[in-house]
Amino acid sequence: LNTDAKFNQLHRALLNLEESGQRACLIVDEAHSLSIPSLKHLKRLYEMPPSGGYGSLISIILIGQPELLIKLSVNNPDIRELAQRCDMVALKPIAVAELEEFIAHRMSRISKTAADIIDQSGIAAMAQYLVDGKGQSQLWPLLVGNFLIAAMNKAAHIGEDVINAGVIQEVATWRN
């Protein structure tokens, strides 16, 4: 099939989905790596007309690094039309005051509490280590998760029951 035939086939499939009362959503992770032509193809998908003629047959969620915001700038003439159709949300780092709550939330997913894996000195040490010299939080969810994994492994290796400030210090020393 040529490109137009594939596009028409996809359009028919999305129309059938719409007729059955369902919606389609395309989620693209690492979207900052997409080329401009690929992004333009996504715009074409988004603009496929539904049977009623209004709206879109598909929702598209692009997840990427900050470079995606640059690529999707309305000042970029190659991609302006797509950028004008996007709602952009930038993930902010976790506030220091919310670190314990974030850890508690993550642990609740495995029926544990934050106190089961880290004590207050460990939380304070992690917050201190993951805030830069300018006071800017570096408490990104992925970084916090990876740091916790390293700290749990270090605690197990040295025989600590929970992560404490000493364990965090050892992990921080190892990471530098």
Side-chain angles (χ1 to χ4, degrees):
L1 292 174
N2 66 28
T3 304
D4 286 335
K6 289 179 185 177
F7 185 82
N8 290 334
Q9 186 179 26
L10 177 60
H11 189 207
R12 279 191 305 277
L14 289 172
L15 284 170
N16 290 339
L17 197 62
E18 178 194 41
E19 288 172 12
S20 71
Q22 297 179 320
R23 296 252 345 207
C25 180
L26 173 65
I27 301 173
V28 180
D29 195 9
E30 301 293 328
H32 56 275
S33 298
L34 291 174
S35 66
I36 298 296
S38 295
L39 289 167
K40 287 181 177 183
H41 285 297
L42 288 176
K43 176 184 172 281
R44 188 172 174 212
L45 287 176
Y46 180 76
E47 292 175 339
M48 285 189 288
S51 57
Y54 295 103
S56 179
L57 286 171
I58 189 168
S59 297
I60 301 172
I61 299 172
L62 303 176
I63 301 170
Q65 297 296 324
E67 295 82 6
L68 181 60
L69 292 173
I70 296 166
K71 193 174 275 188
L72 290 176
S73 168
V74 293
N75 297 324
N76 181 347
D78 293 332
I79 206 78
R80 182 178 299 127
E81 287 185 31
L82 173 64
Q84 292 171 345
R85 289 167 173 77
C86 293
D87 291 326
M88 297 189 208
V89 177
L91 180 67
K92 298 191 184 321
I94 301 161
V96 172
E98 296 172 358
L99 179 58
E100 184 174 4
E101 182 182 345
F102 176 79
I103 294 170
H105 171 74
R106 292 285 302 266
M107 293 301 106
S108 73
R109 300 292 172 227
I110 57 169
S111 300
K112 298 283 184 190
T113 66
D116 290 334
I117 64 145
I118 189 168
D119 67 17
Q120 290 298 314
S121 73
I123 292 171
M126 181 183 286
Q128 183 178 9
Y129 178 72
L130 293 175
V131 172
D132 69 19
K134 298 175 186 171
Q136 298 293 320
S137 172
Q138 300 302 310
L139 295 167
W140 302 99
L142 180 61
L143 181 59
V144 170
N146 289 341
F147 201 92
L148 279 173
I149 291 167
M152 287 187 283
N153 287 335
K154 178 57 83 173
H157 179 74
I158 63 176
E160 292 287 346
D161 293 333
V162 295
I163 300 165
N164 56 39
V167 172
I168 295 295
Q169 182 60 43
E170 289 203 33
V171 173
T173 302
W174 172 77
R175 287 178 54 97
N176 290 333

